[in-house]
Amino acid sequence: MSAPTESAAGSRLNLRRLDLAATDGATAGALVALIRRGAVPDARTREGARAILEEVRVGGAAAVRRASATYGGGRPSGELVIERAELTAAVGRLSREVRRALDQSIANVRRFAETQRPATTRTTIVPGVEIERRWTPLRRVGCYVPGGSAPYPSSLVMTVVPARVAGVREVVVASPADASGQTDPVLLAAAGILEVDALLVAGGAQAIGALAFGLADAGLAPVDRIVGPGNAWVTAAKIEVSGLVGIDLPAGPSEGMVLADHTADPVLVAADLVTQAEHGPDSPAILVTTDAYLADAVEAEIERLLPTLERRSILERALREHGRIVFAPDLDRAIDFANAYAPEHLSVDVADVEAAVARLDSAGSLFVGPWAPESAGDYATGANHVLPTGGLARSCGPLSVEAFGRYSQVQRIDRGGLEAIADTVRTMATAEGLTAHRNAVEARFRSPDASASADITPAGLLSPAPEASDR
């Protein structure tokens, strides 16, 4: 198998090609750039988001309206918060077909989410020392749902359903209006079905600021955590407020990767390869294959497919700027590269598919075999489609019920338990020079009549007090 390195292969699409067997510096640099791409926006975007956040923190609702007037995403009336009554009314206007699709999507996501509900546990360390790991749902969360050029009621389902399963008391959704200032009726209805408490009509950094700081002048209280995908401005704003409220993770452009060999159908591979690129012009689409003939056939099929798709201009730009074909000398090298890249979405279509899947350990969501399109996971399988991007799948997982609560530790200790560990506490505290820590244990074993300078060992025996300088 022979393939050009970082060059066109005769296709007008001009998908750039990389050969993992190549040893030149240019190829090595291109591979590093792909793998270590990151999900955090550039410094200028973060600075811009920081400025908008400060304006919202100080100016409240008026600042959000000004930002929306400048950047888009607001209603012409300036209305910011849609209350539950209006959301409920939108449910009644749904067609039967759309209502049925929403209901199935919600039911499937809920079914999978219910398997994730964390449990509170208790562990006895030694007799008399018990630690409870208590899981508690968050009180109030904000779910960001992208909008503007395209509505995403599916993202509302993916963020709100696990919050409801977790037992979150209040859920606020933020989503921008479209270019004409309208909010998608299906998104409104999905919010109504899920009994969202309020919907903030705003996007970008100003929406994140409103969720994090609250809008007292619009009746919107701050949230405890913000989740959901968004553009670079949303991601930058989430990073900036993460010291004040919790966030799920920073999310970059949607990513799609297909791992395929000579047994794969190029028509299906092409269909899967362009799926996530449809989200935006900065979305990577990468084919990793051991077969040059498959690569050529996939490129030809994409050329045939593009004219039939509504978002053709977005797809062409994404594929031209971020489309890649990566050749591997064998499946082992292909799998190693996929793990190193850690894609958000990974379709796997090879001869021994389960053996390959068993070795793929760094992807947000895997789609196994020719009957598993990524769009099935986006809408209907029940798996969450809010996933780590930018290589964060090496260390982070999909949005889940656990994101909507937190653990606390409850430590129960009786006298016998403290006696069993007191010497360790005393010794460690002394070694660190933290005598107040040591004294908190020793004070519990002093009899009321004992001298303030006397110590009691865990066995209950008196021992000389430390030197005054240690106190």
Side-chain angles (χ1 to χ4, degrees):
M1 190 261 318
S2 168
T5 300
E6 196 75 8
S7 65
S11 169
R12 288 173 296 170
L13 264 180
N14 195 30
L15 288 182
R16 285 183 281 179
R17 299 189 173 198
L18 292 166
D19 191 341
L20 295 179
T23 59
D24 61 286
T27 299
L31 290 171
V32 170
L34 281 178
I35 292 169
R36 306 303 297 180
R37 60 205 180 280
V40 177
D42 62 41
R44 288 189 301 175
T45 302
R46 292 186 64 174
E47 289 170 5
R50 190 178 302 126
I52 294 172
L53 289 170
E54 181 61 15
E55 290 175 4
V56 172
R57 187 188 69 80
V58 174
V64 174
R65 293 187 182 98
R66 286 195 300 271
S68 294
T70 301
Y71 306 111
R75 285 187 162 185
S77 64
E79 179 188 14
L80 288 176
V81 180
I82 301 175
E83 303 293 346
R84 184 181 287 187
E86 184 176 341
L87 302 177
T88 302
V91 178
R93 296 190 289 270
L94 282 176
S95 69
R96 288 184 180 180
E97 182 181 28
V98 173
R99 177 62 194 263
R100 186 164 52 247
L102 276 175
D103 284 345
Q104 185 179 47
S105 179
I106 290 168
N108 290 354
V109 173
R110 180 178 285 119
R111 182 175 183 181
F112 187 47
E114 285 174 347
T115 69
Q116 304 162 16
R117 189 181 284 113
T120 294
T121 60
R122 288 192 177 194
T123 303
T124 298
I125 305 302
V126 296
V129 177
E130 181 187 79
I131 303 176
E132 175 185 351
R133 191 169 187 249
R134 178 185 294 173
W135 193 84
T136 307
L138 301 179
R139 289 186 174 88
R140 184 176 172 86
V141 300
C143 299
Y144 187 86
V145 176
S149 63
Y152 291 98
S154 59
S155 290
L156 187 146
V157 171
M158 296 292 173
T159 52
V160 176
V161 169
R164 290 305 189 198
V165 170
V168 172
R169 298 180 193 175
E170 297 179 47
V171 178
V172 178
V173 168
S175 188
D178 64 19
S180 63
Q182 301 300 309
T183 302
D184 179 63
V186 179
L187 189 145
L188 290 175
I193 293 170
L194 292 169
E195 299 183 341
V196 165
D197 293 279
L199 193 147
L200 173 70
V201 184
Q206 60 269 28
I208 300 303
L211 294 174
F213 307 131
L215 299 175
D217 47 352
L220 192 72
V223 301
D224 300 315
R225 173 167 285 181
I226 301 170
V227 304
N231 63 17
W233 290 85
V234 170
T235 300
K238 285 171 66 177
I239 293 170
E240 292 300 321
V241 301
S242 62
L244 178 66
V245 300
I247 66 169
D248 47 356
L249 46 78
S254 186
E255 304 169 345
M257 175 179 282
V258 179
L259 173 62
D261 65 10
H262 67 283
T263 65
D265 183 340
V267 172
L268 301 183
V269 172
D272 288 339
L273 194 63
V274 303
T275 298
Q276 298 307 321
E278 191 172 36
H279 284 295
D282 53 356
S283 291
I286 299 177
L287 170 62
V288 183
T289 185
T290 55
D291 188 72
Y293 296 102
L294 175 72
D296 292 340
V298 167
E299 281 192 322
E301 178 58 26
I302 291 175
E303 286 280 5
R304 186 203 65 77
L305 180 63
L306 282 177
T308 70
L309 302 174
E310 289 185 15
R311 293 168 71 86
R312 176 181 179 178
S313 61
I314 290 174
L315 282 163
E316 287 181 339
R317 182 176 168 190
L319 292 168
R320 184 171 60 253
E321 297 180 9
H322 302 285
R324 298 288 188 278
I325 295 175
V326 176
F327 290 98
D330 52 54
L331 189 58
D332 288 342
R333 288 285 300 277
I335 290 173
D336 288 344
F337 174 78
N339 282 332
Y341 183 88
E344 180 188 21
H345 305 84
L346 175 58
S347 295
V348 187
D349 195 354
V350 297
D352 192 347
V353 67
E354 290 298 340
V357 168
R359 293 182 52 204
L360 289 162
D361 56 22
S362 298
S365 208
L366 284 84
F367 298 83
V368 182
W371 291 96
E374 292 176 7
S375 50
D378 281 345
Y379 298 115
T381 65
N384 206 293
H385 79 203
V386 180
L387 303 166
T389 64
L392 288 177
R394 288 186 290 269
S395 58
C396 302
L399 185 67
S400 65
V401 171
E402 291 93 334
F404 297 95
R406 77 282 188 192
Y407 284 100
S408 55
Q409 296 176 161
V410 182
Q411 303 181 57
R412 295 179 174 90
I413 309 172
D414 63 19
R415 181 185 178 94
L418 187 57
E419 286 178 339
I421 62 173
D423 192 50
T424 293
V425 177
R426 176 178 177 173
T427 300
M428 293 293 291
T430 301
E432 295 184 352
L434 302 177
T435 51
H437 283 62
R438 185 183 65 205
N439 183 66
V441 170
E442 293 171 345
R444 285 166 164 77
F445 292 105
R446 294 193 188 103
S447 68
D449 299 327
S451 165
S453 63
D455 291 332
I456 306 293
T457 67
L461 301 175
L462 288 173
S463 62
E467 294 294 332
S469 60
D470 290 337
R471 292 287 188 182

